[in-house]
């Protein structure tokens, strides 16, 4: 997609690069989803049987674009299946319930994950933020009242790293070495980062060399979790966008990810999803970051000033000083990706909200 801005300066090109399916082929998230579902299945004494690609596609098509939301649905669905004939298997905590299922050793058929998400009924018109609430209501209506604490543990706070499924998933995405640096808590088990191990670079070395040689302003523009602006408290902000940049040799690129807009939202008492793409705030912040070659607070505040008040602070004011046009080329995977973030719910657990 190419957009044009009228300006009064020498002709200038600015590149905004998405991450998923542009810089990398995002295989790591699905691998982490499967590993996390299998983690809980193993604790129930069940064999490995996570969702396949077609079933994951169904989750995404029905409003569960975040693995933080689809994983606990898979776990809750399996627990409900195990306890259908044995309501006594529901215990006071998730850990106790997992252990009770393992002790009972039920002979369960493979879960029909696609049928489950269809039955829940969440769809694309529901925001990803509301999808786990819809799932919680679905399971609560079909399980005994004493199951509610377990369902709440799984589905009530999926944006929080304290949520069991989210915490395990983040171990697999970040790896146990990065996990404590991100969240300030010790890892619960050892694992590699499946993002670094499974994501495939799509930016060829030749393309990277051309990008650098052209010396054109560019920034990485993604809904992936990211660090906040440099110098800000990064606790709880998962560096998943920065990890992808490092994988393709762009570790020094200015990045405007979900962590940056989440930080900006915190400053203004807003929800981060109000600023992430397709909101113009994130795109404008990426343009500003490209112009100053840094994902700085100045770039973020300037973007909000343009979007909210029509003001034109620096670095945007400089675009009026010449006589030509500025062409902004945005490289994204699909037209749908230009209208909405691919995974609007997987956000910075902790102080913000993958």
């Amino acid at each position: 997609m190419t957009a044009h801005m009228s300006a009064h300066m020498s002709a200038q090109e600015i590149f905004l690069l998405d991450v998923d399916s542009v810089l990398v082929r995002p295989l790591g998230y699905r691998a982490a989803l499967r590993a996390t579902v299998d983690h809980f299945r193993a604790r129930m004494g069940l064999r490995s049987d996570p969702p396949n690609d077609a079933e994951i596609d169904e989750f995404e098509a029905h409003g569960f674009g975040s693995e933080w939301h689809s994983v606990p649905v898979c776990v809750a669905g399996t627990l409900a299946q195990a306890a259908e004939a044995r309501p006594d298997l529901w215990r006071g905590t998730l850990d106790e319930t997992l252990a009770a299922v393992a002790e009972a050793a039920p002979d369960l058929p493979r879960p029909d994950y696609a049928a489950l998400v269809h039955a829940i009924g969440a769809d694309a018109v529901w925001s990803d933020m509301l999808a786990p609430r819809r799932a919680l209501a679905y399971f609560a209506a079909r399980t005994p009242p004493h199951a509610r604490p377990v369902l709440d543990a799984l589905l009530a706070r999926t944006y929080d790293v304290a949520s069991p499924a989210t915490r395990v998933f983040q171990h697999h995405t970040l790896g146990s070495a990065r996990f404590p640096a991100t969240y300030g808590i010790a890892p619960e088990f050892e694992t590699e980062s499946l993002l670094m191990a499974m994501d495939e670079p799509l930016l060829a070395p030749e393309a990277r060399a051309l990008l650098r040689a052209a010396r054109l302003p560019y920034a990485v523009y993604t809904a992936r979790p990211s660090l906040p602006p440099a110098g800000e408290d990064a606790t709880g902000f998962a560096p998943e966008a920065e990890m992808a940049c490092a994988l393709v040799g762009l570790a020094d690129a200015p990045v405007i990810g979900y962590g940056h807009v989440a930080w900006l939202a915190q400053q203004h008492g807003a929800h981060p999803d109000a600023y992430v793409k397709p909101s113009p705030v994130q795109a404008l912040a990426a343009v500003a970051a490209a112009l100053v070659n840094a994902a700085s607070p100045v770039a973020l505040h300037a973007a909000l000033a343009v979007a909210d008040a029509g003001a034109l602070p620096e670095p945007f004011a400089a675009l009026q000083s010449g006589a030509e046009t500025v062409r902004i080329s945005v490289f994204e995977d699909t037209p749908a990706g230009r209208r909405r973030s691919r995974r609007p719910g997987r956000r910075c657990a902790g102080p913000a909200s993958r």
Side-chain angles (χ1 to χ4, degrees):
M1 176 180 74
T2 301
H4 295 276
M5 294 176 57
S6 294
H8 302 290
M9 61 181 295
S10 300
Q12 183 178 358
E13 185 96 32
I14 299 173
F15 291 161
L16 304 184
L17 310 174
D18 196 4
V19 170
D20 292 330
S21 300
V22 175
L23 294 183
V24 301
R25 182 173 289 110
L27 304 179
Y29 283 124
R30 290 195 170 197
L33 183 158
R34 294 186 177 103
T36 305
V37 171
D38 274 346
H39 171 95
F40 287 98
R41 288 185 63 83
R43 292 187 61 186
M44 287 182 255
L46 303 174
R47 67 183 182 278
S48 169
D49 227 335
N52 57 37
D53 280 337
E55 291 167 326
I56 295 172
D57 288 341
E58 286 298 309
F59 273 101
E60 294 187 357
H62 286 78
F64 290 84
S66 167
E67 293 85 358
W68 286 6
H69 303 339
S70 55
V71 166
V73 167
C74 294
V75 177
T78 303
L79 286 174
Q81 184 183 20
E84 185 174 5
R86 290 278 310 273
D88 61 299
L89 293 178
W90 293 108
R91 304 295 169 86
T93 68
L94 174 62
D95 288 343
E96 292 169 343
T97 303
L98 294 172
V101 173
E103 184 177 0
D107 183 19
L108 299 180
R110 183 185 187 278
D112 188 338
Y113 297 107
L116 176 60
V117 72
H118 279 251
I120 290 170
D123 56 34
V125 302
W126 282 77
S127 77
D128 200 59
M129 184 174 62
L130 295 176
R133 299 183 191 178
R134 187 74 174 263
L136 180 57
Y138 170 84
F139 287 115
R142 290 161 177 80
T143 55
H146 65 273
R148 186 59 187 258
V150 175
L151 298 175
D152 283 343
L154 284 168
L155 289 159
R157 296 186 301 153
T158 55
Y159 284 97
D160 192 336
V161 74
S163 180
T166 300
R167 186 168 62 253
V168 173
F169 182 80
Q170 289 304 102
H171 276 72
H172 287 296
T173 56
L174 299 174
S176 51
R178 285 186 180 87
F179 185 87
T182 299
Y183 297 112
I185 54 179
E188 298 177 4
F189 55 90
E190 295 296 316
T191 180
E192 65 180 341
S193 165
L194 292 179
L195 295 188
M196 297 301 288
M198 302 296 295
D199 279 359
E200 296 179 354
L202 294 177
L203 184 69
E206 298 81 6
R208 183 177 64 243
L210 285 172
L211 182 65
R212 293 187 182 281
R215 298 186 180 278
L216 296 173
Y218 75 95
V220 174
Y221 163 64
T222 176
R224 276 194 181 202
S226 70
L227 296 174
E232 301 297 327
D233 182 8
T235 304
F237 288 83
E240 295 166 32
E242 289 82 359
M243 291 162 65
C245 290
L247 193 64
V248 297
L250 294 179
D252 57 346
V255 176
I256 296 293
Y258 195 89
H260 298 90
V261 295
W263 174 87
L264 182 64
Q266 287 177 352
Q267 311 308 303
H268 295 273
H271 192 282
D273 285 358
Y275 293 162
V276 76
K277 58 182 179 178
S279 164
V281 174
Q282 189 179 12
L284 288 165
V287 172
L291 291 171
V292 302
N293 195 32
S296 66
V298 170
L300 290 160
H301 286 302
L304 188 59
V306 174
D308 277 2
L312 206 63
E314 295 294 348
F316 298 107
L319 299 180
Q320 290 186 317
S321 61
E324 296 295 336
T325 60
V326 175
R327 187 170 66 182
I328 302 170
S329 299
V330 182
F331 298 86
E332 287 202 84
D333 55 342
T334 63
R338 294 193 289 270
R339 292 191 297 270
R340 62 178 178 85
S341 63
R342 184 171 180 272
R343 294 182 175 85
R346 188 196 317 102
R347 304 298 177 233
C348 307
S353 70
R354 34 201 175 122

